[in-house]
Amino acid sequence: MKIFVPLDSVAVALGADALVAGIHAEAARRGVSVEVVRNGSRGMVWLEPLVEVEMGAGRLGFGPMVLADVPGLFGDLASHPKSIGLVQDHPWMKGQTRLTFARVGVIDPLSLDDYRAHGGLVGLERAKAMTKAQIVAEVTESGLRGRGGAGFPTGIKWKTVSEAAGEQKYIVCNADEGDSATFADRMLMEGDPFCLIEGMAIAGLACGATKGYVYIRSEYPIAIRVMEAAVLLARQAGVLGAAFDMEIRVGAGAYVCGEETSLLNSLEGKRGVVRAKPPLPALQGFMGRPTVVNNVISLASVPVILARGAAFYKDFGLGRSRGTIPLQIAGNVKHGGLYEVAFGLTLGQIVNEIGGGTASGRPVKAVQVGGPLGAWFPPSLFDTPFGYEEFGAKDGLIGHAGLTIADDSTDMLAMARFAMEFCAIESCGKCTPCRIGAVRGVETLDRVARGDVSAIPLITDLCNTMKSGSLCALGGFTPYPVMSALTHFPDDFARAKEAAE
């Protein structure tokens, strides 16, 4: 028997390691030979740990599994109470367009042979036969934009570094995934690490960089372990070497180090504070040298672009939002998890059809898109297509494509206060609008909570100051959740006055 049990952090937190021990024990008791593969997650978080058994027609899935369900894996699988049928036929899987995550959950993450058998390294081999300018042109033509939140065209950033003067250049992967409701970076690193390595190697060829770093947050121990092992295996196989090599570095958990210049300071061993721009990291980045800083999903999207061509990738999406986006659906939701699909679905389709509405069964009140600094969208905006410009036109942002769903019991005044408090705690302290503004924001929202609605205009002025004057997106984006809560849910702010009276 060949059985797949995820090594994904969510599955492990829910008892996957104990299931592996239980499977081996049950197999030994029955005298059955069993091979257990620790794969990545399929993204159906509500079914984790999702155990799969390889059959002739595909893999049968069983989840969410507990130890008591293990003996049933050695009996009549069709009658197993946790069976979900063939995983590839599950509605959650069939509705997706998996390009970046095509191998996640399918392969053994640390098997280069498995990676190659599923299309791996084709893009890198093609890139080796191209000039730097040709690789950059291919990525530019694909329409790929930064998946970490900014949405900046990846090809333009690569072109700047490729043409910059410098004997040494670097590729830095931002894996400091600190936003709430985001886990795509972690899932990719845990489930398909060679994809990220291949993407970084292609970036190295395109930009003339011979060295790369992956900066991973310390809260991702499994991703760190898998990436370190994958780098060693890639080096031994000659995928990495003199032309391009890379290292894994671990951050200390500061949210602001998700901002590229703070990350670079931390990577250099300095305090993680924001750098003023200019100069841009593309010209003077790591150690003052030209540096590409891309997020995990941006770099992991490159291999399929090089393997199948820019036209293939660009064919997906809408407007200036091309390709696919890994939606990360979380919060009070029935079916949470990762769902990769082309840009263009409406927010309502994502929340109600893919997510299945709230887990509580109560009506959806709001959805925050883009992490803790994203705007709250009410159901009246659920017809908004999922795209960078489309969300921007509604005073929102896609960010890292994390969605937090809330039902009608949620107090939006409390959510606005949380955003300000989050900024106050996580601010690097370098600029006044962020360092002081967030503290004043908490104090002012507390006045509103005590019934002083006369303080609401102060919140608006403060948000405008933070948005215009902050040095980076931490202070600059904090107004999004605050002002969207105030704009779309004014009753939650007025209700505080009624309660005080």
Side-chain angles (χ1 to χ4, degrees):
M1 292 181 69
K2 192 171 186 178
I3 301 177
F4 295 79
V5 183
L7 186 63
D8 180 87
S9 292
V10 170
V12 170
L14 293 169
D17 290 348
L19 286 177
V20 172
I23 289 168
H24 282 301
E26 185 68 20
R29 188 179 71 81
R30 294 171 178 259
V32 175
S33 176
V34 64
E35 177 188 356
V36 177
V37 177
R38 304 304 300 271
N39 59 328
S41 172
R42 296 279 193 163
M44 295 182 280
V45 172
W46 77 97
L47 291 176
E48 294 290 7
L50 176 63
V51 174
E52 302 176 32
V53 178
E54 190 172 83
M55 308 293 288
R59 295 185 197 167
L60 287 176
F62 306 86
M65 288 282 287
V66 295
L67 274 175
D69 300 319
V70 168
L73 295 176
F74 297 86
D76 181 9
L77 294 178
S79 62
H80 195 290
K82 296 293 180 68
S83 174
I84 64 166
L86 291 173
V87 176
Q88 65 264 31
D89 291 340
H90 193 281
W92 178 272
M93 299 302 300
K94 292 187 72 174
Q96 297 186 54
T97 302
R98 287 213 161 190
L99 302 182
T100 307
F101 281 78
R103 287 175 292 265
V104 177
V106 176
I107 65 170
D108 177 345
L110 292 176
S111 169
L112 257 176
D113 289 339
D114 220 355
Y115 182 68
R116 284 193 179 94
H118 289 81
L121 299 181
V122 173
L124 179 58
E125 290 305 313
R126 180 178 174 226
K128 287 178 179 178
M130 300 167 70
T131 65
K132 293 197 301 181
Q134 287 173 332
I135 300 172
V136 170
E138 192 84 5
V139 173
T140 303
E141 178 61 24
S142 74
L144 178 66
R145 295 167 68 174
R147 297 292 189 252
F152 188 80
T154 303
I156 293 177
K157 183 179 288 189
W158 285 21
K159 185 175 189 291
T160 304
V161 176
S162 181
E163 296 177 352
E167 294 181 4
Q168 177 67 60
K169 300 178 183 180
Y170 297 98
I171 308 297
V172 173
C173 175
N174 183 348
D176 194 61
E177 187 177 48
D179 282 347
S180 53
T182 58
F183 38 86
D185 292 355
R186 174 187 58 73
M187 280 184 57
L188 192 286
M189 290 186 291
E190 292 174 349
D192 192 10
F194 294 119
C195 182
L196 175 56
I197 292 171
E198 182 179 1
M200 291 184 69
I202 293 171
L205 289 174
C207 301
T210 58
K211 186 71 174 182
Y213 296 92
V214 182
Y215 184 97
I216 308 179
R217 65 197 312 246
S218 59
E219 295 89 341
Y220 284 172
I222 296 176
I224 294 167
R225 188 167 73 244
V226 172
M227 283 302 305
E228 287 177 339
V231 166
L232 181 60
L233 290 169
R235 193 176 293 135
Q236 292 171 346
V239 176
L240 297 174
F244 183 82
D245 205 354
M246 55 189 285
E247 298 178 19
I248 308 301
R249 296 289 178 88
V250 180
Y255 178 79
V256 77
C257 284
E259 192 277 334
E260 62 179 5
T261 62
S262 295
L263 184 154
L264 291 173
N265 274 339
S266 177
L267 195 60
E268 292 176 3
K270 303 171 184 174
R271 183 183 175 201
V273 297
V274 176
R275 298 178 184 176
K277 300 175 186 177
L280 295 172
L283 299 176
Q284 294 181 38
F286 183 61
M287 297 298 180
R289 304 300 177 88
T291 304
V292 165
V293 184
N294 279 146
N295 126 287
V296 172
I297 303 306
S298 303
L299 290 162
S301 299
V302 169
V304 71
I305 292 172
L306 268 293
R308 306 189 68 172
F312 167 81
Y313 192 79
K314 192 176 182 179
D315 193 46
F316 299 95
L318 85 161
R320 291 181 55 222
S321 303
R322 310 313 306 174
T324 60
I325 183 76
L327 304 170
Q328 297 133 89
I329 305 169
N332 187 341
V333 64
K334 186 176 182 181
H335 294 147
L338 183 138
Y339 194 99
E340 185 180 359
V341 70
F343 285 97
L345 291 180
T346 66
L347 184 57
Q349 287 176 300
I350 296 168
V351 173
N352 296 317
E353 297 177 20
I354 298 173
T358 66
S360 62
R362 299 175 65 96
V364 176
K365 181 173 183 175
V367 178
Q368 186 178 38
V369 182
L373 307 183
W376 288 96
F377 274 35
S380 61
L381 294 179
F382 276 14
D383 61 346
T384 306
F386 207 84
Y388 292 104
E389 281 67 38
E390 290 74 15
F391 263 67
K394 301 292 177 65
D395 294 323
L397 54 97
I398 282 182
H400 195 33
L403 296 89
T404 301
I405 297 168
D407 71 12
D408 62 354
S409 66
T410 305
D411 180 356
M412 300 310 295
L413 172 57
M415 294 296 98
R417 185 190 187 281
F418 171 79
M420 282 293 188
E421 184 181 33
F422 180 87
C423 182
I425 292 170
E426 295 293 348
S427 174
C428 77
K430 186 164 185 176
C431 70
T432 302
C434 177
R435 181 183 71 248
I436 303 299
V439 175
R440 296 290 89 86
V442 173
E443 294 171 354
T444 308
L445 285 168
D446 282 342
R447 284 175 55 187
V448 176
R450 291 193 296 268
D452 183 6
V453 293
S454 68
I456 290 179
L458 292 177
I459 288 293
T460 302
D461 289 346
L462 180 62
C463 284
N464 288 334
T465 300
M466 293 179 68
K467 190 173 182 178
S468 301
S470 296
L471 196 55
C472 82
L474 177 53
F477 282 2
T478 296
Y480 279 87
V482 178
M483 290 308 300
S484 60
L486 181 59
T487 300
H488 299 302
F489 307 97
D491 290 350
D492 285 18
F493 291 76
R495 196 173 294 120
K497 182 180 180 182
E498 297 172 4
E501 293 173 347

